[in-house]
Amino acid sequence: MKNSPAPAQKSIDPARGFEYLVLTVRPGQSVADARRELGEHAEYGKWELRTTRLYMGGMRRYWMRRRIMRVASTLDVFPS
């Protein structure tokens, strides 16, 4: 597929309590495809759109974030 999206880059910022996902859209990819991909991440991955940047040449980059969920273990580590 010639207009396939670039891979997403994921990073974690524990000081702020957020996890970030950066999606890069090439100039040849349609806006509808980019919107669909953003919607899928938002709906199924619980991501929210933070920043959108349009670069010269037509490349777009979207920064998405979500809160880091810290879950306490409910397993009994040392059974009696």
Side-chain angles (χ1 to χ4, degrees):
M1 202 158 130
K2 142 180 153 181
N3 290 332
S4 63
Q9 300 171 351
K10 200 171 172 184
S11 64
I12 297 176
D13 185 3
R16 292 190 178 143
F18 285 103
E19 184 176 12
Y20 291 92
L21 179 70
V22 181
L23 296 171
T24 304
V25 179
R26 296 186 191 103
Q29 188 179 4
S30 72
V31 176
D33 288 342
R35 187 178 297 136
R36 180 186 46 78
E37 188 175 351
L38 289 169
E40 287 176 4
H41 281 290
E43 185 174 352
Y44 300 115
K46 307 290 188 207
W47 294 95
E48 63 183 31
L49 184 62
R50 182 173 187 275
T51 307
T52 300
R53 179 122 344 144
L54 175 62
Y55 294 96
M56 287 176 41
M59 184 178 81
R60 292 183 205 93
R61 194 165 278 165
Y62 302 97
W63 281 264
M64 301 182 82
R65 72 178 184 179
R66 67 179 174 189
R67 288 221 176 263
I68 297 174
M69 295 182 160
R70 292 184 176 84
V71 179
S73 176
T74 58
L75 301 174
D76 189 13
V77 179
F78 301 105
S80 305

